[in-house]
Amino acid sequence: MLALHGGVAEHVAALAAVGAEPSEVRAPDDLAGLHGLVLPGGETTTLRLLAPRGGLLPELRGMVAAGTPTFGTCAGLIALADVVDGRREPLVGGLRIAVRRNAYGRQTASFEAPVDLPSIEGDPMVGVFVRAPRVVSVGDGVEVLALLGGDPVAVRQGHIWATAFHPELTPDRRLHAAFVEDARAWALPLPTESGEPGGVRVRA
Ligand code: GLN
């Protein structure tokens, strides 16, 4: 759980509620042994100022590139996006999407809307959008989990999950549960050639 800034406590509560053991990351040492990363919402501008301190960014980039399950919400989605506002200068990057920050206009800067995620069982989720980014294009291997008004608002690329809305701000834990299940599966020991568990995951 990247804890430099933003909606940290809400994600910690949501993760704990689905049986994960969240810990807060403020420095590279805090990353040791994690089986997943959550990048919360907040302000990308602030995150851009804070994240380079202490050398966290290269570590985060390496973990995402190595396939560590990662979940970004709102500013977290922006941090993961490879292209932001037309520039290929990602904060963390690794997610093949292009986004435009604050692109829902003034009247609808913040709003709630039902978000239907066909891969998640049950009723649509309540999407809380707070000065949300608009996903303007998705690249190869990016699965669109939900659309709103024709725009992707939840995407998945392998073990990278990202939403333009804030699932941590509602009591609905289904997305956190799905992410944690993915992270648990990823953390299982890999089989060796003999079929026994005990393989070693190699970081890129
Ligand atoms: N508007 C913010 C940004 O561009 C994101 C808002 C959020 O995370 N709720 O960074």
Side-chain angles (χ1 to χ4, degrees):
M1 179 71 234
L2 185 64
L4 296 176
H5 158 76
V8 175
E10 294 85 352
H11 272 295
V12 166
L15 290 164
V18 297
E21 295 164 30
S23 64
E24 298 187 14
V25 170
R26 293 189 181 83
D29 284 355
D30 301 332
L31 293 166
L34 294 189
H35 295 143
L37 282 170
V38 174
L39 308 185
E43 268 305 317
T44 325
T45 320
T46 310
L47 211 54
R48 257 189 203 280
L49 288 174
L50 295 178
R53 293 186 197 163
L56 250 182
L57 275 180
E59 294 288 328
L60 290 174
R61 287 183 184 133
M63 284 178 78
V64 174
T68 308
T70 303
F71 184 14
T73 59
C74 202
L77 171 144
I78 299 170
L80 290 167
D82 277 344
V83 176
V84 179
D85 292 339
R87 285 189 294 275
R88 193 173 285 277
E89 289 165 8
L91 184 63
V92 175
L95 177 57
R96 290 185 292 276
I97 61 172
V99 300
R100 261 203 348 265
R101 292 178 60 199
N102 304 317
Y104 281 96
R106 222 184 247 167
Q107 276 85 17
T108 50
S110 298
F111 61 97
E112 283 186 17
V115 174
D116 186 25
L117 289 110
S119 58
I120 301 261
E121 231 174 90
D123 293 339
M125 295 183 75
V126 175
V128 179
F129 293 81
V130 182
R131 301 207 305 119
R134 196 185 284 267
V135 176
V136 292
S137 62
V138 302
D140 280 352
V142 178
E143 186 189 346
V144 174
L145 301 179
L147 288 167
L148 186 72
D151 298 316
V153 290
V155 296
R156 181 173 176 186
Q157 174 194 307
H159 297 292
I160 306 179
W161 302 61
T163 58
F165 56 97
H166 288 271
E168 77 283 9
L169 294 184
T170 72
D172 190 334
R173 302 295 182 227
R174 285 176 291 167
L175 255 177
H176 284 83
F179 170 69
V180 166
E181 192 183 316
D182 184 41
R184 279 193 207 289
W186 181 84
L188 289 175
L190 296 170
T192 57
E193 267 180 35
S194 64
E196 295 299 314
V200 175
R201 225 166 231 113
V202 181
R203 283 208 179 162

